[in-house]
Amino acid sequence: MKNKDDYSKENDNSKEDEGKFNLVKEVLEMLVYFVAIIIIFLLLPHFVGQHIEVKGSSMENTLSNKDHLILEKITYRFKEPKRFEIVVFRPYDKEEETYYIKRVIGLPGEKIQIKDGEVYINDEAIEDIYGSDIIANPGIASSEIQLDEDEYFLIGDNRNNSTDSRSAKIGPVKRKAIVGRAWARIWPVKEIEILAH
């Protein structure tokens, strides 16, 4: 038969065990929480989206120097870029940290040419409501360019102040070089807007 001292010792032991269990549980929950936060912060910019800042005037009047944007990376995992979408791409394979922002003009398989200041796709002039000026320098597109099945022709909205697919250094852009699309402008506050439709 157990005496009162035995019962109190058992109660003390069970309370002590329960306290240790709760402490271990809390520590494990905190570890899981911190690991989840670290994974989110590592994966979000790589696979989902990230904040970017526009540098330069090549996309004026649509985007200005020092505009802050959200670059969205999910959509192009499921569908291909469309004409007139604003995309971010790596112009040079070896320079991973160099990114450009331009507008999609030519799509895979199309023929592109710039003549008399206008863009022709498959021998027809396109209605270009985004370009700020008539194109003065067609660059490599002065002769017809046949895009491959994984190539896009990208041009800045500031047509006469943009290094883009018209430059021999860049040329048609491979699909794999396109990182994502400009989804929204978040700064300056008075110009907040959704860019992707």
Side-chain angles (χ1 to χ4, degrees):
M1 184 172 174
K2 293 183 179 178
N3 60 37
K4 289 182 181 177
D5 288 340
D6 292 333
Y7 283 118
S8 65
K9 283 177 185 175
E10 282 181 13
N11 287 339
D12 288 345
N13 286 342
S14 67
K15 285 180 182 176
E16 193 176 307
D17 290 344
E18 189 178 326
K20 286 179 183 176
F21 175 77
N22 286 338
L23 179 64
V24 169
K25 184 179 172 188
E26 285 180 28
V27 169
L28 285 174
E29 285 175 355
M30 286 178 63
L31 279 173
V32 168
Y33 175 76
F34 284 119
V35 168
I37 294 295
I38 289 168
I39 288 171
I40 287 169
F41 276 99
L42 289 175
L43 295 182
L44 275 180
H46 189 70
F47 293 107
V48 179
Q50 70 186 72
H51 163 260
I52 60 171
E53 181 180 349
V54 176
K55 293 184 179 175
S57 60
S58 73
M59 283 299 292
E60 289 180 349
N61 293 325
T62 307
L63 301 172
S64 300
N65 187 44
K66 297 192 176 179
D67 279 358
H68 291 250
L69 313 176
I70 296 294
L71 169 63
E72 184 264 312
K73 299 180 177 181
I74 296 177
T75 298
Y76 294 158
R77 294 184 187 280
F78 304 102
K79 67 181 189 109
E80 297 305 313
K82 294 179 181 175
R83 194 180 330 279
F84 299 129
E85 287 184 327
I86 300 172
V87 300
V88 174
F89 70 101
R90 291 187 316 274
Y92 313 112
D93 285 341
K94 295 178 183 175
E95 295 180 34
E96 288 291 323
E97 297 306 312
T98 300
Y99 295 95
Y100 281 11
I101 183 165
K102 306 294 175 191
R103 192 176 296 279
V104 176
I105 300 297
L107 301 173
E110 293 181 333
K111 292 185 291 184
I112 308 293
Q113 187 172 14
I114 299 173
K115 52 188 178 182
D116 302 322
E118 291 188 86
V119 178
Y120 284 76
I121 296 177
N122 297 332
D123 300 318
E124 288 192 25
I126 63 167
E127 184 180 345
D128 183 4
I129 61 171
Y130 300 101
S132 56
D133 296 301
I134 292 172
I135 298 171
N137 180 10
I140 62 171
S142 59
S143 299
E144 190 174 80
I145 296 170
Q146 175 68 55
L147 296 176
D148 286 343
E149 291 306 312
D150 66 340
E151 290 182 333
Y152 293 80
F153 200 83
L154 310 177
I155 302 180
D157 287 356
N158 189 350
R159 300 293 192 240
N160 295 315
N161 188 21
S162 174
T163 302
D164 48 43
S165 287
R166 294 172 291 168
S167 166
K169 288 182 181 179
I170 296 175
V173 174
K174 295 285 186 188
R175 172 65 183 84
K176 67 180 181 180
I178 297 175
V179 178
R181 64 179 182 161
W183 180 69
R185 174 170 28 210
I186 57 173
W187 187 265
V189 173
K190 64 181 181 179
E191 293 183 27
I192 288 176
E193 69 172 317
I194 301 298
L195 300 167
H197 301 289

